[in-house]
Amino acid sequence: MQNKFPIDPRTASLRTTSLRQQTHLAERISHINYASTNPALSYVYSLSATDTTGGQANARYTLERLARYILGNSFQLIDWIKLFNDQKKLIDAIKSFLIARAKQKAKMKNHYFSVNQPIKNLQVKPLLNALLNVAEVLRCEQSLPDSCVIEFKDRVAVFDLGCFNKTMIENGWLQPILSQDYSFELSKQSEVMLEAFSCFCIRSCVERFDWSRILYAPILQSTIQSFLSDRIDNQSSDRKKTYAPATADNLLRMLRGVAQHAWLAELISVETLERIKAIKLPRGSRQSSGRYLSYSELDHISAITLNQKNKVKALRDNAIFWLMYEAGLRRAEVINVNSFDIDMNRCQLRVVGKGNKERYVPFSRNSDLYNAMAKWLGVRLKDFNPNLPTLFCTINRYQSLTYMRLTTQTLNDLCKKLNMLGFSRVVSPHDFRHSVATNLLRSGYDLLLVSKFMGHSSITTTQRYDRRTDDDLKGVIPSR
């Protein structure tokens, strides 16, 4: 009998899809369900709507360090004997880890990842050296035969990340074992890479840690104080340092965010959440680390920058330095500015800053910023491609634009290079931002206006940027 009511494909709950698509969908659903029950992951993912990519990375890094402090090193939970006995799987896991690391780096830099492009700066050699060290230790303990170690050395000798076309091994593919007491003599770099690879195999500490264990006010407070104290005690320098109050404040703020998401997931009660929010750490303040740059020093920086052999790069770098100094942009804001964000006729710049907040920064037609930007735009807007709108792009050694967006690390390197080119001291990108706040305050502008110019949410932040000295107070005399 013919069905009088045929199934409407728009309302059908099942779709004819490939097994690969169904498997991928199941993995995505499992990942979402897993993240929703882990309050730390939920907190980190929630920052994507209001914070920068760097803010997400900083939150995850801080929470990862705290979780590792409690759980211990992840490489102690790996069954290394099992891995070295199946070296084909081990090599595939190493390549999958490095490609996943490259994808993460590309995401942080807002770059498109492609396996066809060369993959750089993944610290492959330190990881392979660490694994060779692990194999040697296991051989000395007679847990691994000589043949396995020799075979692994041969595989390492011909290791090539470029010839990997197989299916990626997913994060967390290996089950952890009971904690062992391995003792590996590794360099700091190799130890970091071995820990990162171990976290890829058995999932990161943030994912494995049961956060409900510490989400009680007395336990959480003692854990924070112990974590910060141990960081001080483990410093290698002879001079014992105290942690900055901002370090403790940031950690407590993140853990309050974790507790908030645990409450949303009904893992803790509202009374527990309120007690955690009531935690107070010892208060204090530090002078901002930013160093003031005067206009004469900027003139010197501009002169040595324009004296570079690569004249196109010189114009770009000079525009960047004046933009940071006279517009007070953060590193992430500089690299994310597009060509259509700057209006040279109205003399204003559109900036999207922290928390996805938009602001317009004015500048003068008679300013050094205007002159430097006009020269750079004369080069940048030639053969302009609207699909590649970044204002500051990379430049090759042939003085040709590659139209790839710069990274925050590029700005760090530009500032470090100034000292090598003859500038008297080492500066950071944030020193330029500190300096413009000081210049505006010295010029008599209201603190609230300066705060709005800088894109600060609170004037308390702007006050920390004030680099005026006691000499500026000499003229401040109360009178009737």
Side-chain angles (χ1 to χ4, degrees):
M1 180 177 179
Q2 188 177 3
N3 187 0
K4 295 182 179 180
F5 304 98
I7 297 176
D8 184 353
R10 294 172 297 178
T11 60
S13 58
L14 297 178
R15 296 285 188 271
T16 305
T17 57
S18 67
L19 181 60
R20 181 187 296 272
Q21 290 173 321
Q22 292 177 19
T23 304
H24 180 69
L25 178 61
E27 289 175 351
R28 292 295 302 162
I29 293 174
S30 176
H31 177 75
I32 293 171
N33 290 337
Y34 180 77
S36 64
T37 58
N38 187 312
L41 289 180
S42 298
Y43 167 69
V44 172
Y45 294 153
S46 71
L47 297 177
S48 62
T50 59
D51 209 341
T52 61
T53 309
Q56 296 175 62
N58 180 50
R60 180 149 192 160
Y61 172 75
T62 302
L63 294 174
E64 177 74 14
R65 291 188 66 177
L66 177 65
R68 183 177 301 129
Y69 168 75
I70 300 171
L71 294 176
N73 289 323
S74 300
F75 58 75
Q76 300 287 358
L77 305 175
I78 300 291
D79 190 348
W80 292 110
I81 299 174
K82 179 181 177 181
L83 279 181
F84 281 105
N85 282 326
D86 187 1
Q87 294 191 16
K88 185 174 179 298
K89 184 81 169 181
L90 174 58
I91 294 297
D92 286 346
I94 294 171
K95 292 181 177 180
S96 297
F97 161 69
L98 293 172
I99 291 175
R101 187 177 176 89
K103 288 181 178 179
Q104 184 64 25
K105 283 179 173 287
K107 180 182 177 182
M108 294 297 299
K109 296 177 180 179
N110 292 322
H111 287 174
Y112 174 74
F113 174 80
S114 173
V115 291
N116 298 322
Q117 295 178 353
I119 304 174
K120 302 177 181 178
N121 302 324
L122 293 182
Q123 307 298 327
V124 178
K125 191 173 181 179
L127 174 60
L128 296 178
N129 288 339
L131 292 171
L132 286 170
N133 185 282
V134 171
E136 289 290 348
V137 169
L138 293 176
R139 178 168 67 173
C140 292
E141 294 178 352
Q142 298 183 347
S143 301
L144 204 63
D146 292 347
S147 58
C148 281
V149 178
I150 294 172
E151 180 186 354
F152 185 68
K153 286 183 177 179
D154 292 340
R155 288 179 180 271
V156 167
V158 296
F159 183 85
D160 183 11
L161 187 58
C163 57
F164 182 61
N165 300 317
K166 297 183 180 179
T167 304
M168 289 276 293
I169 296 177
E170 294 296 327
N171 178 28
W173 63 277
L174 187 65
Q175 286 295 322
I177 61 174
L178 293 176
S179 182
Q180 306 298 302
D181 191 22
Y182 296 120
S183 180
F184 306 132
E185 294 183 2
L186 302 170
S187 66
K188 187 66 178 177
Q189 202 174 37
S190 293
E191 184 178 348
V192 169
M193 288 302 296
L194 184 64
E195 177 67 20
F197 175 67
S198 302
C199 287
F200 172 79
C201 292
I202 62 175
R203 291 191 180 274
S204 65
C205 296
V206 168
E207 297 175 78
R208 288 184 283 114
F209 183 56
D210 182 6
W211 290 94
S212 61
R213 289 169 49 188
I214 65 168
L215 291 181
Y216 297 96
I219 298 176
L220 190 61
Q221 185 170 18
S222 61
T223 301
I224 294 173
Q225 292 171 340
S226 177
F227 171 68
L228 294 171
S229 298
D230 280 9
R231 283 185 63 190
I232 298 169
D233 294 337
N234 291 334
Q235 286 179 351
S236 58
S237 60
D238 295 334
R239 184 180 177 184
K240 190 172 181 179
K241 300 178 182 179
T242 59
Y243 60 81
T247 303
D249 289 343
N250 285 335
L251 178 59
L252 181 56
R253 173 179 54 82
M254 292 174 188
L255 289 171
R256 283 172 177 164
V258 173
Q260 178 76 20
H261 283 266
W263 171 71
L264 290 172
E266 300 183 357
L267 300 177
I268 61 174
S269 65
V270 66
E271 291 82 4
T272 301
L273 175 62
E274 291 302 319
R275 291 190 184 98
I276 291 174
K277 288 183 176 181
I279 293 176
K280 301 292 183 184
L281 295 177
R283 301 296 300 171
S285 63
R286 294 287 187 275
Q287 282 291 334
S288 172
S289 59
R291 290 152 296 203
Y292 176 71
L293 292 166
S294 65
Y295 265 98
S296 60
E297 288 177 314
L298 254 293
D299 289 336
H300 185 200
I301 289 174
S302 180
I304 61 179
T305 300
L306 292 173
N307 198 34
Q308 296 181 82
K309 292 182 179 179
N310 191 328
K311 297 304 178 183
V312 177
K313 184 176 180 296
L315 292 176
R316 183 203 67 184
D317 295 350
N318 189 51
I320 288 175
F321 289 135
W322 281 112
L323 184 66
M324 291 193 295
Y325 188 75
E326 293 200 337
L329 268 60
R330 302 177 179 93
R331 292 180 305 167
E333 293 170 348
V334 172
I335 65 172
N336 287 325
V337 171
N338 292 314
S339 300
F340 50 74
D341 289 328
I342 186 165
D343 190 334
M344 298 296 284
N345 293 323
R346 295 184 178 181
C347 291
Q348 68 176 15
L349 175 71
R350 175 182 172 271
V351 180
V352 179
K354 281 186 176 181
N356 205 27
K357 291 178 293 187
E358 181 180 316
R359 71 182 190 275
Y360 287 87
V361 179
F363 54 91
S364 170
R365 191 176 294 273
N366 299 321
S367 64
D368 296 281
L369 169 59
Y370 184 93
N371 294 330
M373 194 60 67
K375 292 177 181 177
W376 166 242
L377 287 174
V379 176
R380 177 64 186 86
L381 297 182
K382 287 182 180 178
D383 302 323
F384 180 72
N385 185 348
N387 295 322
L388 302 169
T390 178
L391 179 60
F392 298 113
C393 56
T394 54
I395 300 168
N396 62 25
R397 58 180 178 176
Y398 304 109
Q399 304 191 34
S400 299
L401 308 185
T402 64
Y403 301 103
M404 289 181 60
R405 196 176 294 273
L406 299 181
T407 67
T408 53
Q409 186 57 46
T410 306
L411 298 191
N412 290 339
D413 294 339
L414 289 180
C415 291
K416 289 179 182 177
K417 192 177 178 181
L418 289 174
N419 186 244
M420 299 168 55
L421 293 174
F423 191 62
S424 57
R425 56 190 173 91
V426 178
V427 297
S428 72
H430 221 62
D431 292 344
F432 294 85
R433 182 168 164 81
H434 279 266
S435 301
V436 70
T438 302
N439 288 339
L440 291 171
L441 291 169
R442 277 179 173 165
S443 299
Y445 288 100
D446 179 74
L447 187 63
L448 193 60
L449 281 176
V450 177
S451 179
K452 187 175 181 180
F453 180 91
M454 301 291 290
H456 289 152
S457 300
S458 170
I459 60 172
T460 306
T461 307
T462 312
Q463 287 175 318
R464 294 203 302 267
Y465 278 51
D466 188 359
R467 306 302 296 167
R468 288 177 292 182
T469 62
D470 291 340
D471 291 337
D472 295 300
L473 298 175
K474 290 180 179 178
V476 182
I477 303 173
S479 61
R480 185 183 295 273

